[in-house]
Amino acid sequence: MSSALLPVFARTDLAFEHGEGAWLTTVTGERYLDFGAGIAVNALGHCHPHLVEALREQAGKLWHTSNLYKIPDGERLATRLVAASFGDTVFFTNSGAEANEAAIKMARKYHSYSGHPERWRIVAFNGAFHGRTLATISAGGNPKHLDGFGPEVPGFDHVAPGDEQALLAAITPETAAIIIEPVQGEGGIREVPAAFLRRLREICDERDLLLIYDEVQTGIGRTGHAFAYELSGVAPDIMALAKGLGGGFPVGACVATAKAASGMTAGSHGTTFGGNPLAMAVGNAVLDVVLEPAFLKEVRRKGLVLKQKLGALVDRHPNIVEELRGEGLMLGLKCLIPPGEVVSAFVDAHVLTVPAGDNVVRLLPPLIVSDDEMALAVERMDEALDALDKRLAQGLSAAE
Ligand SMILES: *Cc1c(COP(=O)(O)O)cnc(C)c1O
């Protein structure tokens, strides 16, 4: 069947008609447990009553004005993000890539504004993902994402995460900043050790470099903390957010210290849609729920429960899964067979998961998932892996 959509996604043959909590129902009425949450977007699951109410109410009042005017809900959301983080100021965007673009521009501008326009290069890490705009594919450095799109946006130098020698060698008098995901998401749920983040902070402080965290996937409660940097206690100067922030409504944010943002004066950057009243109403509603300390404590508890159940799953299927990784409800199964085959087997068992780099299957359930739903998902995944084990024992590839 041909489609009018640009074929840049290899889509699974599933279409959903409605959702509720951690469940999705297809157009033909089949139910799936959603342990992908739209790639860590549906933080509060599907159709959370508080979010539906906030969107409905705002839809009847005002959708869009312009950033030429004041947007009180945006002021409020920014104030709340600042109060919950290291930051002093916020720029709203529509996506994660745009939040990173703002972070990259801000870091360059900081140095030019403080008399060092020669400092514009940014050190990034192998295996990173920062989005799909021209600058963010260069920041990510993944050859598959760069192929065929002409010369890279200059100014990004890549090193291996954890390699301090390579990092020090990559820093030159032209370096402005370091950008890193505290836990690599697309790269395969690879946690950056707290000790390395501490070194990054020291190196940045010694050399007046800005430390940028891409928390587009890790932020807004995903790891059991409002922001993943709380796990290490090492704060950045600039942080990109998106995915969970709107719970499914497209919104991103670039949070920064006053110092890092000092060059971003009136007219230096902008957006038409970013931070519009609809997005701000939903963002505030997400924070109403996620920033409750009791809610985050529950996410940490559920993360441990899921980790324990998955640990048993890994032990039971050593021919398919070799390792369990991650924090909170951002977990990964490192596989010995292509992760796409495991994801397909889970789809057959009516559990949705997401493949990632480094042979990893990501489990990113909505943060409101229940213990029963976690138990059921793991039971279904266990059965799916049993079936895969049998096929492998018969010498068949998982896909045959
Ligand atoms: C998803 C993601 C992005 C890109 O976000 P978009 O909204 O797709 O532009 C950037 N960085 C990280 C870490 C992500 O997970």
Coordinates of all heavy atoms in Angstrom, one line a residue, residues 266-304:
A266 N 17.6 41.0 23.4 CA 16.4 41.2 22.6 C 16.8 41.1 21.1 O 17.7 41.8 20.7 CB 15.7 42.5 22.9
G267 N 16.1 40.3 20.4 CA 16.3 40.2 18.9 C 17.4 39.1 18.5 O 17.5 38.8 17.3
S268 N 18.1 38.6 19.5 CA 19.2 37.7 19.1 C 18.7 36.3 18.8 O 19.4 35.5 18.1 CB 20.2 37.6 20.3 OG 19.6 37.0 21.4
H269 N 17.5 35.9 19.2 CA 17.0 34.6 18.9 C 15.5 34.7 18.9 O 14.9 35.7 19.4 CB 17.5 33.6 19.9 CG 17.2 32.1 19.5 ND1 17.5 31.6 18.3 CD2 16.7 31.1 20.3 CE1 17.2 30.3 18.3 NE2 16.7 30.0 19.5
G270 N 14.8 33.7 18.4 CA 13.3 33.8 18.4 C 12.6 32.6 17.9 O 13.3 31.6 17.5
T271 N 11.3 32.6 17.9 CA 10.5 31.4 17.5 C 9.1 31.9 17.3 O 8.6 32.8 18.1 CB 10.5 30.3 18.5 OG1 9.5 29.3 18.2 CG2 10.3 30.8 20.0
T272 N 8.4 31.4 16.3 CA 7.0 31.8 16.2 C 6.1 31.0 17.2 O 5.3 31.6 17.9 CB 6.5 31.5 14.7 OG1 7.3 32.3 13.9 CG2 5.0 31.9 14.6
F273 N 6.2 29.7 17.1 CA 5.3 28.9 17.9 C 5.8 28.6 19.3 O 5.0 28.3 20.2 CB 5.1 27.5 17.2 CG 4.4 27.6 15.9 CD1 5.1 27.2 14.7 CD2 3.1 28.0 15.8 CE1 4.4 27.2 13.5 CE2 2.5 28.0 14.6 CZ 3.1 27.7 13.4
G274 N 7.1 28.7 19.6 CA 7.6 28.2 20.8 C 7.0 29.0 22.0 O 6.9 30.2 22.0
G275 N 6.5 28.2 23.0 CA 6.0 28.8 24.2 C 4.6 29.4 24.0 O 4.2 30.2 24.8
N276 N 3.8 28.9 23.0 CA 2.5 29.5 22.9 C 1.5 29.1 24.0 O 1.8 28.1 24.7 CB 2.0 29.3 21.4 CG 1.2 28.0 21.2 OD1 1.0 27.2 22.1 ND2 0.8 27.8 19.9
P277 N 0.4 29.7 24.1 CA -0.5 29.5 25.3 C -0.9 28.0 25.4 O -1.0 27.5 26.5 CB -1.7 30.4 25.0 CG -1.1 31.6 24.3 CD 0.0 31.0 23.4
L278 N -1.2 27.3 24.3 CA -1.6 25.9 24.4 C -0.5 25.1 25.0 O -0.8 24.3 25.9 CB -2.0 25.4 23.0 CG -3.4 25.4 22.5 CD1 -3.5 24.7 21.1 CD2 -4.4 24.8 23.5
A279 N 0.7 25.2 24.4 CA 1.8 24.5 24.9 C 2.1 24.8 26.4 O 2.4 23.9 27.2 CB 3.1 24.7 24.1
M280 N 2.0 26.0 26.8 CA 2.3 26.4 28.1 C 1.3 25.9 29.1 O 1.6 25.5 30.2 CB 2.4 27.9 28.2 CG 3.5 28.5 27.4 SD 5.2 28.0 27.9 CE 5.5 26.6 26.8
A281 N 0.0 25.8 28.7 CA -1.1 25.3 29.6 C -0.8 23.8 29.9 O -0.9 23.4 31.0 CB -2.4 25.5 28.9
V282 N -0.4 23.1 28.8 CA -0.1 21.7 29.0 C 1.1 21.4 29.8 O 1.2 20.6 30.7 CB -0.1 20.9 27.7 CG1 0.2 19.5 27.9 CG2 -1.4 21.1 26.9
G283 N 2.2 22.2 29.5 CA 3.4 22.1 30.3 C 3.2 22.3 31.7 O 3.8 21.5 32.6
N284 N 2.5 23.3 32.1 CA 2.2 23.6 33.5 C 1.4 22.4 34.1 O 1.7 22.0 35.3 CB 1.4 24.9 33.7 CG 2.3 26.1 33.8 OD1 3.2 26.1 34.6 ND2 2.1 27.0 32.9
A285 N 0.5 21.8 33.4 CA -0.3 20.7 33.9 C 0.6 19.5 34.1 O 0.4 18.8 35.1 CB -1.4 20.4 32.9
V286 N 1.6 19.3 33.2 CA 2.5 18.2 33.4 C 3.3 18.4 34.7 O 3.4 17.5 35.5 CB 3.5 18.0 32.2 CG1 4.6 17.0 32.5 CG2 2.7 17.5 31.0
L287 N 3.8 19.6 34.9 CA 4.6 19.9 36.1 C 3.7 19.7 37.4 O 4.3 19.3 38.4 CB 5.2 21.3 36.1 CG 6.4 21.5 35.0 CD1 7.2 22.7 35.4 CD2 7.3 20.3 34.9
D288 N 2.4 20.1 37.3 CA 1.6 19.9 38.5 C 1.7 18.5 39.0 O 1.7 18.3 40.3 CB 0.1 20.1 38.1 CG -0.3 21.6 37.8 OD1 0.5 22.5 38.2 OD2 -1.3 21.8 37.2
V289 N 1.8 17.6 38.1 CA 1.9 16.1 38.6 C 3.3 15.7 38.8 O 3.6 15.1 39.9 CB 1.2 15.2 37.5 CG1 1.3 13.8 37.9 CG2 -0.2 15.7 37.2
V290 N 4.2 15.9 37.9 CA 5.5 15.3 38.0 C 6.4 15.9 39.1 O 7.2 15.2 39.7 CB 6.2 15.5 36.6 CG1 7.7 15.0 36.7 CG2 5.5 14.7 35.5
L291 N 6.2 17.2 39.4 CA 7.1 17.8 40.4 C 6.7 17.5 41.8 O 7.4 17.9 42.7 CB 7.2 19.3 40.1 CG 8.0 19.8 38.9 CD1 8.2 21.3 38.8 CD2 9.4 19.1 38.8
E292 N 5.6 16.8 42.0 CA 5.2 16.4 43.4 C 6.3 15.4 43.9 O 6.5 14.4 43.2 CB 3.9 15.7 43.3 CG 2.7 16.6 43.3 CD 2.6 17.4 44.6 OE1 2.8 16.7 45.7 OE2 2.3 18.6 44.6
P293 N 7.0 15.8 45.0 CA 8.0 14.8 45.5 C 7.5 13.4 45.6 O 8.2 12.4 45.3 CB 8.4 15.4 46.9 CG 8.0 16.9 46.8 CD 6.8 16.9 45.9
A294 N 6.2 13.2 46.1 CA 5.7 11.9 46.2 C 5.6 11.2 44.9 O 5.8 9.9 44.8 CB 4.3 12.0 46.9
F295 N 5.3 11.9 43.8 CA 5.2 11.3 42.5 C 6.6 10.8 42.1 O 6.7 9.7 41.6 CB 4.7 12.3 41.5 CG 4.5 11.8 40.1 CD1 3.4 11.1 39.7 CD2 5.6 11.9 39.1 CE1 3.2 10.6 38.4 CE2 5.4 11.4 37.8 CZ 4.2 10.8 37.5
L296 N 7.6 11.6 42.2 CA 9.0 11.2 41.8 C 9.5 10.1 42.7 O 10.2 9.2 42.1 CB 9.9 12.4 41.9 CG 9.7 13.5 40.8 CD1 10.5 14.7 41.1 CD2 10.0 12.9 39.4
K297 N 9.1 10.1 43.9 CA 9.5 8.9 44.8 C 8.9 7.6 44.3 O 9.5 6.6 44.2 CB 9.0 9.2 46.2 CG 9.7 8.4 47.3 CD 9.3 8.9 48.7 CE 9.6 7.8 49.6 NZ 8.7 7.9 50.8
E298 N 7.6 7.7 43.8 CA 6.9 6.6 43.2 C 7.6 6.1 42.0 O 7.8 4.9 41.7 CB 5.5 7.0 42.9 CG 4.4 6.4 43.7 CD 4.4 4.9 43.9 OE1 5.1 4.5 44.9 OE2 3.8 4.1 43.2
V299 N 8.1 7.0 41.1 CA 8.8 6.7 39.9 C 10.1 5.9 40.3 O 10.4 4.9 39.7 CB 9.1 7.9 39.0 CG1 10.0 7.5 37.8 CG2 7.8 8.6 38.6
R300 N 10.8 6.4 41.3 CA 12.0 5.7 41.7 C 11.7 4.3 42.2 O 12.4 3.3 41.9 CB 12.8 6.5 42.8 CG 13.3 7.8 42.3 CD 14.3 8.4 43.2 NE 13.8 8.9 44.5 CZ 13.2 10.1 44.6 NH1 13.2 10.9 43.6 NH2 12.7 10.5 45.8
R301 N 10.6 4.2 43.0 CA 10.2 2.8 43.5 C 9.8 1.9 42.4 O 10.3 0.8 42.3 CB 9.0 3.0 44.5 CG 8.6 1.6 45.1 CD 7.3 1.6 45.8 NE 6.2 1.9 44.9 CZ 5.6 1.0 44.1 NH1 6.1 -0.3 44.1 NH2 4.6 1.3 43.4
K302 N 9.0 2.4 41.4 CA 8.6 1.6 40.3 C 9.8 1.2 39.4 O 9.8 0.1 38.9 CB 7.5 2.3 39.5 CG 6.2 2.4 40.3 CD 5.0 2.9 39.4 CE 5.1 4.3 39.2 NZ 3.8 4.9 38.8
G303 N 10.7 2.1 39.3 CA 11.9 1.8 38.5 C 12.7 0.7 39.1 O 13.1 -0.2 38.4
L304 N 12.7 0.6 40.5 CA 13.4 -0.5 41.1 C 12.7 -1.8 40.9 O 13.3 -2.9 40.7 CB 13.6 -0.2 42.6 CG 14.6 0.9 42.9 CD1 14.7 1.2 44.4 CD2 16.0 0.5 42.4

